[in-house]
Amino acid sequence: MPAGKKGNRKEQILQCLAEMLESHSGQRITTAKLAEKVGVSEAALYRHFPSKARMYEGLIEFIEGTLLSRINIILEKDKSTEGRISNIMKLILGFAEMNRGITAILTGDALMGEHDRLRERVAALFEKLETQFKQVLRERKLREGKNFPIDEAALANMLLAYTEGKMNQFVRSGFTRSPMEGFDAQWKGWQLFW
């Protein structure tokens, strides 16, 4: 099989897995059901991924690569702390809204009964996001000559907790309550920090 076609099949498997995580929310996805959806045998799935855990890891790698690369673009384009933080939060919440099945991975809903290392990978991703928030907040003093009324690490944790909470509401609502719902009005409440 040509390398391009093999790569496309891997992407197809991951896309089908993400779709199934959305449409079968809260249910365990079996390799038999996934193979049926992809239109291949279970053995064919395992030719592309040595285990189901590696399929989930492939999705987690996609999430991490997408979010971190787009955060870097935000950091290059936007120089104000408020704009950077707002845009990073909108990025994460917008990504969650557009990738429902993947959001179920981020909240841990899709990982129930799966390998602990998958939850550890998601936790590591959230630690990277919190580190990004901290970095942006700490640069404020250098860029704008201003301090925050609370410690930057505590504020970064609060921003991450808000973001995670909005994603959890989205999954818990069966993907009906947008994670962006009320963001602009709620962002005004954060104005006391800027």
Side-chain angles (χ1 to χ4, degrees):
M1 180 178 281
K5 193 165 185 162
K6 185 174 183 178
N8 289 340
R9 180 66 77 187
K10 281 181 100 164
E11 289 172 21
Q12 181 187 13
I13 292 167
L14 294 177
Q15 180 68 37
C16 286
L17 177 57
E19 289 170 7
M20 290 180 75
L21 289 170
E22 178 183 346
S23 63
H24 297 80
S25 183
Q27 299 175 23
R28 189 172 169 95
I29 306 296
T30 65
T31 54
K33 288 180 187 174
L34 178 59
E36 182 181 326
K37 172 123 174 114
V38 175
V40 298
S41 67
E42 280 186 80
L45 287 180
Y46 289 114
R47 278 195 292 276
H48 296 283
F49 294 96
S51 66
K52 189 165 84 169
R54 277 298 303 140
M55 293 176 208
Y56 280 106
E57 285 176 349
L59 287 176
I60 294 167
E61 288 165 8
F62 166 76
I63 297 164
E64 185 172 326
T66 301
L67 290 177
L68 295 179
S69 66
R70 290 183 182 171
I71 286 171
N72 285 333
I73 292 168
I74 289 169
L75 297 177
E76 287 175 19
K77 289 184 176 182
D78 202 329
K79 298 305 176 195
S80 79
T81 303
E82 180 181 1
R84 285 176 163 192
I85 294 295
S86 173
N87 287 328
I88 290 170
M89 291 175 77
K90 286 178 183 177
L91 165 70
I92 296 167
L93 296 175
F95 180 84
E97 186 168 27
M98 296 198 51
N99 297 283
R100 296 172 175 189
I102 287 175
T103 302
I105 291 173
L106 289 173
T107 63
D109 188 61
L111 300 178
M112 299 304 274
E114 299 297 338
H115 290 279
D116 286 341
R117 78 172 186 263
L118 297 172
R119 280 183 288 289
E120 291 167 6
R121 289 284 309 266
V122 170
L125 171 59
F126 277 107
E127 287 173 17
K128 288 177 183 179
L129 294 174
E130 187 170 2
T131 298
Q132 286 287 335
F133 283 135
K134 277 189 249 182
Q135 179 182 338
V136 170
L137 294 170
R138 287 183 175 145
E139 288 176 2
R140 182 180 193 216
K141 188 169 186 172
L142 298 172
R143 289 182 177 280
E144 301 165 26
K146 298 177 183 176
N147 288 319
F148 288 100
I150 66 171
D151 177 67
E152 290 95 351
L155 182 54
N157 183 260
M158 192 165 52
L159 294 166
L160 184 68
Y162 171 87
T163 306
E164 285 188 78
K166 294 294 272 183
M167 288 190 291
N168 274 300
Q169 285 179 333
F170 184 49
V171 172
R172 210 172 35 250
S173 73
F175 306 113
T176 60
R177 186 171 183 183
S178 168
M180 292 298 295
E181 182 182 308
F183 180 83
D184 291 331
Q186 292 163 349
W187 182 253
K188 290 178 184 174
W190 294 90
Q191 295 300 315
L192 66 109
F193 293 111
W194 314 117

